[in-house]
Amino acid sequence: MDWKGRDVISVRDFSKEDIEFVLKVAERLETELNEKGSLDYAKGKILATLFFEPSTRTRLSFESAMHRLGGSVIGFSSASSTSVKKGESLADTIKTVEQYSDVIVIRHSMEGAARLAAEVADIPVINAGDGSNQHPTQTLLDLYTIKRAFGRIDGLTIGLLGDLKYGRTVHSLAEALAFYDVELYLISPELLRMPKHIVEELRERGVRVHETTDLEGTIPELDVLYVTRIQRERFPDEQEYLKVKGSYQVNCAVLKRAKESLRIMHPLPRVDEIHPEVDRTEHALYFRQVFSGVPVRMALLGLTLGVL
Amino acid sequence: MAELKVTAIREGTVIDHIPAGKGLKVIEILRLNRPNGGVLLLASNVHSGKLGRKDIVKIEGRFLSEEEVNKIALIAPTATVNIVRDYRVAEKFKVEIPDKITGILRCANPNCVSNHEYTVSKFYVVSREPLKVRCHYCERTMEEEEILGNL
Ligand SMILES: [Zn+2]
């Protein structure tokens, strides 16, 4: 697969080989970064970060990745400061910005916006979240985090906890995990179960899937517990939200039953689903997970720019 | 009841066995009702041994490609297409749902970029029985009822 000029829009566009390749490159870059402090593969290259919808963490992670690759960054962090407000089409914004840059990272509230941007632009486009659809770099960094922590993904038992209905992150993570030999526990309130079509697809692809509402009974089985926030803004109905809000909390009492090697992940930000007392335990992997975003995004930027 | 006679055409396309009442929609999807188009004939509620009642559309002087005609498979899966040359049927085929549906279907997701920006809509057929398609942009799937409502 030639990565130069390739767009990164959806986990659906990736094969297992693609994923493994990105993870391997990320690992190489992380090692090099540890040795040299900074790299210069992308020297002279410019990344444009177009955040039509604000997401400070994701934007900072991409910017950090580009700087660590030796490149520079331009962009905006909300649509209100751009000509979009004056009614400019997304296609025109993209065509303009590509004159100033070598790669584009886009975050947009509309589903499919990144795909459209990629069709319009001649330079590579990386999706940093399009509405409730995709956030592929998050999925790749999740996989990278697991691989770095365990040395493998195959053979692990992984629990996905929280909002499995509206959670974009867990949908694409589950889809990507289907490439591997894993056992999945889907732990959620009844109201927030993983959509049926995804569960069916996982089973068809040979994943052993268990659906449950019981965190405490499941926790002894797990190698990885991936916790998600129950997001108020995703609920069409406030009453529905109030029924499930605070359904689960991972704290030291719950973790008494866990394997010593259990690692807890979370795409962050968290509210109250993981107690801060967990941070100091060996189980906490979520800050390491944040760090993983940098080498993974460096790999994607470098590969699509064709400089690695 | 006597069978309705429709003038035979010399050259063009005859779309037969359209479910009764869907003829107009077929014309709309294939954009046959352009002012500069050729002669267009629609016969509605024609008696049919197979369907009970059916619609027939005849287009004089235009040869529709198989791909073009396959678009109507979504609303008229029973349709057959005859290419007529010199009053004779030169080619005949049944419509089939294509792998990709371009330009005729609107996405049912109100937050899909294709409903806000200039795009040509594109869907991939995920399954034919039951009919299920996936939007190229927002990746959401639509099933039969939603598809018919957004044609
Ligand atoms: Zn769509």
Side-chain angles (χ1 to χ4, degrees):
Chain A
M1 179 88 223
D2 188 9
W3 276 81
K4 190 179 175 174
R6 190 177 174 181
D7 304 305
V8 179
I9 305 302
S10 165
V11 174
R12 278 179 208 284
D13 303 339
F14 286 95
S15 65
K16 183 176 181 180
E17 289 66 38
D18 290 331
I19 293 173
E20 289 284 302
F21 182 64
V22 174
L23 303 189
K24 208 176 287 169
V25 173
E27 198 168 337
R28 196 187 90 205
L29 290 171
E30 191 181 328
T31 312
E32 277 186 53
L33 201 57
N34 283 337
E35 284 165 5
K36 297 180 193 160
S38 68
L39 307 174
D40 59 3
Y41 290 109
K43 199 168 171 222
K45 302 285 186 189
I46 297 175
L47 160 67
T49 55
L50 311 187
F51 279 61
F52 292 87
E53 177 189 68
S55 171
T56 310
R57 288 156 200 275
T58 305
R59 186 170 52 85
L60 292 180
S61 174
F62 270 106
E63 292 187 359
S64 169
M66 190 61 176
H67 287 305
R68 292 218 190 276
L69 268 184
S72 42
V73 184
I74 57 171
F76 53 81
S77 54
S78 84
S80 59
S81 58
T82 69
S83 37
V84 174
K85 224 186 158 186
K86 300 174 196 153
E88 184 177 56
S89 74
L90 174 60
D92 283 4
T93 307
I94 298 293
K95 280 184 199 151
T96 305
V97 169
E98 77 169 323
Q99 311 303 321
Y100 308 141
S101 53
D102 302 291
V103 56
I104 289 174
V105 169
I106 179 175
R107 168 98 168 199
H108 203 288
S109 60
M110 272 188 245
E111 286 99 53
R115 182 78 69 191
L116 176 63
E119 286 177 348
V120 170
D122 288 327
I123 62 175
V125 172
I126 298 175
N127 186 3
D130 59 332
S132 61
N133 183 32
Q134 287 274 335
H135 191 5
T137 64
Q138 175 73 45
T139 302
L140 290 164
L141 81 85
D142 290 341
L143 295 173
Y144 181 74
T145 308
I146 297 173
K147 197 152 190 194
R148 291 291 276 167
F150 291 87
R152 66 197 160 94
I153 297 172
D154 286 319
L156 296 178
T157 300
I158 298 171
L160 306 177
L161 173 73
D163 177 4
L164 307 185
K165 183 178 178 184
Y166 300 108
R168 168 182 71 189
T169 316
V170 278
H171 295 169
S172 31
L173 179 59
E175 274 171 34
L177 284 171
F179 283 124
Y180 296 88
D181 172 30
V182 293
E183 187 158 359
L184 283 186
Y185 282 87
L186 307 177
I187 315 153
S188 71
E190 273 299 327
L191 276 170
L192 296 177
R193 283 169 74 158
M194 182 77 84
K196 225 173 105 202
H197 71 270
I198 299 182
V199 178
E200 278 166 13
E201 193 196 326
L202 292 170
R203 292 210 167 106
E204 277 163 27
R205 291 172 64 186
V207 182
R208 282 150 296 158
V209 185
H210 315 272
E211 290 187 273
T212 174
T213 55
D214 176 18
L215 171 63
E216 294 193 26
T218 308
I219 215 161
E221 308 296 322
L222 304 177
D223 298 307
V224 175
L225 176 63
Y226 194 104
V227 186
T228 64
R229 184 164 54 100
I230 295 177
Q231 299 179 73
R232 171 182 259 135
E233 65 271 23
R234 299 270 182 233
F235 282 78
D237 176 7
E238 177 82 9
Q239 283 307 310
E240 202 189 335
Y241 170 72
L242 292 173
K243 274 188 232 160
V244 293
K245 156 184 178 242
S247 297
Y248 298 101
Q249 196 193 40
V250 179
N251 51 35
C252 286
V254 176
L255 287 170
K256 281 213 172 76
R257 311 190 53 192
K259 290 183 195 171
E260 214 174 291
S261 59
L262 170 76
R263 291 294 173 265
I264 299 169
M265 297 172 66
H266 191 300
L268 302 181
R270 65 176 153 175
V271 183
D272 55 4
E273 56 279 358
I274 302 176
H275 194 282
E277 69 189 8
V278 179
D279 298 2
R280 280 174 280 118
T281 70
E282 287 289 306
H283 299 299
L285 193 59
Y286 30 92
F287 293 115
R288 165 70 220 193
Q289 187 182 354
V290 174
F291 169 76
S292 294
V294 176
V296 167
R297 289 175 173 129
M298 284 170 75
L300 291 168
L301 289 166
L303 287 170
T304 57
L305 282 168
V307 297
L308 287 179
Chain B
M1 187 185 157
E3 197 184 324
L4 180 67
K5 296 287 176 202
V6 185
T7 327
I9 58 173
R10 193 166 80 87
E11 299 229 289
T13 307
V14 177
I15 307 168
D16 199 355
H17 302 109
I18 300 167
K22 296 286 172 62
L24 269 175
K25 197 79 196 171
V26 166
I27 290 169
E28 197 186 306
I29 287 174
L30 297 177
R31 300 170 196 277
L32 299 172
N33 50 347
R34 296 272 169 85
N36 57 351
V39 173
L40 177 68
L41 294 163
L42 165 64
S44 226
N45 282 321
V46 179
H47 174 77
S48 155
K50 254 196 274 178
L51 301 172
R53 296 265 171 247
K54 66 176 180 181
D55 287 3
I56 305 173
V57 169
K58 299 190 179 197
I59 314 120
E60 177 90 63
R62 258 193 79 181
F63 302 103
L64 297 173
S65 70
E66 198 164 338
E67 195 194 4
E68 213 173 346
V69 174
N70 279 344
K71 289 180 175 180
I72 66 173
L74 298 174
I75 50 155
T78 52
T80 53
V81 178
N82 304 280
I83 306 292
V84 179
R85 289 179 205 274
D86 205 12
Y87 295 106
R88 252 173 293 174
V89 175
E91 227 182 300
K92 188 175 183 140
F93 50 85
K94 285 185 77 84
V95 298
E96 249 175 77
I97 296 173
D99 295 333
K100 250 192 263 171
I101 299 156
T102 309
I104 55 163
L105 191 57
R106 237 188 346 265
C107 184
N109 172 6
N111 200 38
C112 176
V113 74
S114 69
N115 288 317
H116 299 268
E117 292 269 333
Y118 173 77
T119 58
V120 177
S121 78
K122 202 196 290 179
F123 294 85
Y124 303 100
V125 175
V126 182
S127 115
R128 290 182 165 77
E129 196 69 50
L131 184 58
K132 218 175 175 183
V133 302
R134 172 176 290 124
C135 176
H136 166 70
Y137 290 100
C138 72
E139 304 186 17
R140 218 182 97 163
T141 53
M142 281 160 73
E143 296 183 17
E144 201 126 16
E145 208 169 300
E146 261 183 326
I147 294 171
L148 296 181
N150 285 284
L151 270 169

